[in-house]
Amino acid sequence: MPEDSIDHIDFDLLNTRAISQPLITHMYTADPSAHVFNGKLYIYPSHDIDAGIPFDDEGSHFGMEDYHVISMDSIPGKPIDHGIILHIQDVAWAQKQLWDSDVNYKNGTYYLYFSAKSYDGIFRIGVATSKSPTGPFIAEPEPIKGSYSIDPCVFQDNDGSFYMYFGGIWGGQLQKYRNNIYNSLHELPRSHEPALGPRIAKLRDNMLEFAETPKEIEILDEQGNRLTEGDNSRRFFEASWMHKYNGIYYFSYSTGDTHYICYATGISPYGPFTYRGRILNPVVGWTTHHSICEFQGKWYLFYHDSSLSKGVTHLRSMKVTPIHYNADSSIQTIDPYNDLKI
Ligand code: FUB
């Protein structure tokens, strides 16, 4: 991550051009995962803080320590902060960096899936449970067996199956894995080689374990070839999200160092997915991360930027804006600041 703050932007101008404003301003929030439970919207973001950790390329300055949940009865509407739902002190295996999370529901229990670094410096994915969407959540004593890297998204298909999508390169450590095995000597593929894909694993009925060995997802170009590592304005970096629209599976993700939210579509939750285009152009701040959710008959993109902190990359604010589909099932690209390029 090459820069921690931005000093060339006129933030007054940017905020007048912004298509949406931060949903809350009493704290910094990022990586919003939105779901509708019992007719109400719940957003599970990362809780950004200034942990006083110097900036580095591993993202160590993202030193988050807890999660909150925010609910809304409508959009627009008043977001309610329900307070801390899980703190890192209450996760036995996790040392630091509570990064992106997601929540889903089955048979009376809510499951919070989250990324954190364990004491050996390796990112893993944990799970915590609650009887309420507003927590508090109780963490399992160990991370999910066989999990690694960051950014879980847990998607429920129409047949009731749940799938976890996960992974992120650079600070997210995905480049250290081949065939699900960590080796510190592994690095990113070379520019002309296929880019690393996000991972998918079906969950067991108990929602606490993988039912299968994680598989690598293929994202293809129009000719059916895998996107290459050098194709960094289209290849996967982090921030997996899955949603289904008109029977089509939409896998969306961040391209990281080129700062786009892109999407690819397919006919199976496992892919392969064919690259279709950009959902969101770059926002202020290095990272971009999102979720997509239908609420009260409209589709929305939840995303974040660093406008409130005036460009501090690790102090982000979640936002929401409608998304629109075209007749050919493509999604219209959103410009976050009305023609003002970042
Ligand atoms: O919030 C920490 C990390 O920044 C997330 O896990 C990434 O997706 C990026 O948004």
Side-chain angles (χ1 to χ4, degrees):
M1 297 186 185
E3 57 183 333
D4 193 29
S5 61
I6 298 166
D7 49 21
H8 62 272
I9 290 176
D10 176 344
F11 282 97
D12 290 335
L13 175 63
L14 180 113
N15 283 325
T16 59
R17 294 280 191 93
I19 58 168
S20 58
Q21 296 302 318
L23 279 170
I24 58 174
T25 56
H26 65 281
M27 63 178 185
Y28 291 108
T29 51
D31 312 328
S33 296
H35 289 273
V36 177
F37 299 126
N38 295 320
K40 194 188 265 257
L41 182 76
Y42 294 89
I43 314 170
Y44 298 88
S46 303
H47 176 196
D48 281 359
I49 54 170
D50 195 348
I53 299 166
F55 163 86
D56 66 25
D57 279 347
E58 301 296 305
S60 304
H61 45 301
F62 292 96
M64 297 87 103
E65 297 177 347
D66 61 30
Y67 295 112
H68 289 230
V69 57
I70 313 299
S71 70
M72 295 177 76
D73 288 325
S74 60
I75 299 176
K78 185 174 162 47
I80 307 289
D81 176 5
H82 297 269
I84 297 175
I85 56 170
L86 183 69
H87 194 283
I88 194 151
Q89 284 172 349
D90 300 317
V91 185
W93 63 268
Q95 183 191 20
K96 57 185 177 182
Q97 291 174 286
L98 283 188
W99 285 13
D100 171 52
S101 67
D102 193 19
V103 170
N104 222 316
Y105 169 82
K106 183 179 176 183
N107 293 345
T109 301
Y110 294 84
Y111 297 85
L112 167 65
Y113 301 90
F114 58 95
S115 344
K117 239 179 214 170
S118 47
Y119 286 87
D120 57 4
I122 307 288
F123 267 114
R124 294 189 170 82
I125 296 170
V127 55
T129 58
S130 174
K131 291 294 175 195
S132 164
T134 57
F137 285 82
I138 308 296
E140 293 293 299
E142 301 287 341
I144 296 174
K145 196 168 172 224
S147 71
Y148 55 91
S149 197
I150 59 167
D151 290 1
C153 159
V154 172
F155 162 77
Q156 182 179 20
D157 209 347
N158 300 77
D159 66 358
S161 304
F162 288 86
Y163 299 89
M164 182 186 291
Y165 297 83
F166 64 95
I169 61 174
W170 295 24
Q173 304 176 338
L174 190 64
Q175 68 277 11
K176 301 295 178 191
Y177 291 83
R178 297 291 185 277
N179 298 319
N180 301 312
I181 297 182
Y182 180 91
N183 184 330
S184 63
L185 299 177
H186 286 319
E187 293 300 344
L188 288 168
R190 285 178 291 177
S191 181
H192 64 279
E193 293 175 337
L196 295 178
R199 306 295 145 97
I200 179 172
K202 192 173 185 175
L203 296 181
R204 278 198 200 286
D205 283 347
N206 67 10
M207 300 287 277
L208 303 174
E209 297 168 285
F210 290 160
E212 60 187 359
T213 304
K215 297 173 171 51
E216 186 167 356
I217 288 174
E218 295 187 344
I219 304 178
L220 311 176
D221 65 16
E222 311 72 26
Q223 283 75 45
N225 300 314
R226 284 182 67 176
L227 297 182
T228 59
E229 175 57 27
D231 192 353
N232 65 340
S233 60
R234 299 196 298 174
R235 64 92 174 87
F236 171 79
F237 189 101
E238 62 186 4
S240 295
W241 190 260
M242 169 57 68
H243 77 281
K244 216 168 166 181
Y245 175 80
N246 278 350
I248 298 172
Y249 294 86
Y250 287 72
F251 178 77
S252 48
Y253 57 97
S254 163
T255 61
D257 53 342
T258 47
H259 318 289
Y260 298 111
I261 297 292
C262 292
Y263 71 107
T265 57
I267 56 170
S268 156
Y270 290 97
F273 300 106
T274 302
Y275 179 87
R276 297 287 297 275
R278 295 174 185 164
I279 299 175
L280 183 67
N281 278 327
V283 294
V284 171
W286 199 91
T287 69
T288 186
H289 192 126
H290 69 299
S291 63
I292 293 169
C293 181
E294 186 181 20
F295 182 45
Q296 297 175 340
K298 287 190 180 158
W299 285 88
Y300 294 95
L301 176 76
F302 296 81
Y303 65 107
H304 70 224
D305 74 6
S306 296
S307 57
L308 187 65
S309 68
K310 295 199 167 15
V312 180
T313 269
H314 63 279
L315 297 178
R316 301 161 291 180
S317 299
M318 59 180 182
K319 297 181 157 188
V320 61
T321 192
I323 61 170
H324 301 285
Y325 297 87
N326 296 311
D328 66 355
S329 77
S330 59
I331 295 177
Q332 294 176 11
T333 307
I334 296 166
D335 225 338
Y337 312 104
N338 281 324
D339 299 328
L340 195 64
K341 297 286 178 235
I342 298 303

